[in-house]
Amino acid sequence: MRNSHNITITESDTFSTDDETTWSLPGAVVGFVAWLLALGIPCLMYGPNTLFFFIYTWPFFLALLPVAIVAGIALHSLMNGRLFLSMTSTLLTVGLMFGALFMWLLG
């Protein structure tokens, strides 16, 4: 015979779910826009000759696209859906990633 107790669930013991969700679409859009802006900053700083630099190094910068999108989603969810704060932190994070990669490739 089993040595167990009967478990009764009353209405006060029901499981409550948190209905607040942070959607990932705004974070993904912010990450993509931050990636586009970071891609344009070297062109604004160094002029149109930057495109010749991008011809040989485009796989590195293209590899940062999913990283920027995931960073946007992660920062948006960590900031509890506050769009202005997550936009600022995503722009700063993606800009720093691009800057580090650009300076590493320049030597």
Side-chain angles (χ1 to χ4, degrees), residues 1-7:
M1 199 154 172
R2 279 190 332 194
N3 188 11
S4 65
H5 301 286
N6 290 337
I7 298 174

Side-chain angles (χ1 to χ4, degrees), residues 58-100:
W58 67 268
F60 296 105
F61 294 101
L62 186 62
L64 283 181
L65 176 62
V67 176
I69 291 174
V70 169
I73 292 170
L75 289 171
H76 187 70
S77 65
L78 285 174
M79 308 279 176
N80 292 327
R82 289 180 281 188
L83 191 60
F84 184 72
L85 192 58
S86 66
M87 282 184 349
T88 306
S89 61
T90 303
L91 285 170
L92 183 67
T93 303
V94 173
L96 288 174
M97 285 190 303
F98 258 78

Side-chain angles (χ1 to χ4, degrees), residues 11-91:
E11 288 186 28
S12 63
D13 293 338
T14 58
F15 298 107
S16 64
T17 59
D18 188 17
D19 291 332
E20 282 189 46
T21 57
T22 302
W23 297 102
S24 60
L25 184 63
V29 170
V30 168
F32 181 70
V33 170
W35 182 79
L36 286 177
L37 288 174
L39 191 63
I41 288 174
C43 293
L44 290 175
M45 288 177 57
Y46 297 109
N49 289 333
T50 310
L51 294 176
F52 293 115
F53 177 73
F54 282 147
I55 286 173
Y56 299 109
T57 59
W58 67 268
F60 296 105
F61 294 101
L62 186 62
L64 283 181
L65 176 62
V67 176
I69 291 174
V70 169
I73 292 170
L75 289 171
H76 187 70
S77 65
L78 285 174
M79 308 279 176
N80 292 327
R82 289 180 281 188
L83 191 60
F84 184 72
L85 192 58
S86 66
M87 282 184 349
T88 306
S89 61
T90 303
L91 285 170

